[in-house]
Amino acid sequence: MHEPDPLSRIDGAVAARADLIGGEDPTAFRLFNGHLEGDGRYVIDAYGATVVIYHHGEPLAEGDEAFSALVARLHERLPSVRTVILKERKSTLHDRRRGRVVSADRAEPVVGDVVREHGVRYAVDLLMRQDAGFYLDTRHLRRWLQDHGAGASVLNTFAYTGSLGVAARAGGASVLHTDRDARVLAVAKASYALNGFPVDRRDFRARDFWSFVRDRKGRGERFDVVVLDPPFFSSTTGGRVDLNRRTTQLVNKVRPLVQSGGKLVLVHNSLFVSGAELMRELDALCTGGWLRVDASIDVPEDVAGFASTRVRASVTDPAPFNHSTKIVVLEVRHR
Ligand SMILES: C[S@@+](CC[C@H](N)C(=O)[O-])C[C@H]1O[C@@H](n2cnc3c(N)ncnc32)[C@H](O)[C@@H]1O
């Protein structure tokens, strides 16, 4: 079979996103979804006037012609792009994995540091970590949290740069963010400031998840909504997160922190757990009637791939979800 050249795949992907490109909201979206859209070497995201290219192939040689052609094509198709950042996933060098500016039209490169979504502003630090610090697959969840925020108390666990909690706060919730890393919580505070929300340091707790949850449980605290969006693996002296094996344990850990009738929002991003497997696990947790699957939330099409641009399937079948990032709202009841 004749394989289209990589640049024409990028052209097709860019054309499918015509509605998003140059729009005022959202300004952060996926331009090209590597594997699903036919070229596993690249995932390309837009953050305002900055494009981030994640390169999953072997580290690039200086002056790689195919890569230069890709950058040139992006500038040609997206005239508003000012800066291109390259993050090389397989590099042995930390700085290369975190990323560097490979193209800028000014001596002083403009690295987009604010994105806008559903009328809310988010601070981003695109070079701080190996990812860009703002997840595009949870855009519809941010909308849900904004819509369900009014008057709610929300606990944002594994908060990272806080985007899910910032969305809830924008909707009128009082939010407690927790993550073990104080540096990422500083970005969440910057997002509060951007939106004019007062920053109270008690709302941002740099703590290990396991001891934090134990302490709050000990105090009998409960929230209307608890967001559980962990990495697929993390091991500390407090405990182990392993979404391939231990989702039930994690859900049970935070359940007591949810008000009776409140919601536990689970974001499960393991590529290796199919949608059906996750649903089986949740159904088992729901027997007894104290937990109920209330809703699932889709991943936006620019991230999941459009029907017209998807050429490959996920590693495991995400159905009934539309992507390997599986987002479920669970309703919790207590005796
Ligand atoms: C996948 S991100 C969470 C994404 C986030 N909810 C968002 O929407 O941007 C993972 C975060 O979990 C944090 N983390 C990992 N293990 C942890 C632990 N044991 N306790 C607290 N935070 C942890 C990391 O510091 C990182 O910020």
Side-chain angles (χ1 to χ4, degrees), residues 135 158-160 163-164 179-180 207-209 229 231 234 236:
Y135 287 102
F158 302 99
Y160 192 39
S163 80
L164 300 174
D179 194 286
R180 69 173 177 196
R207 291 277 306 275
D208 184 62
F209 169 83
D229 179 12
S234 143
T236 61

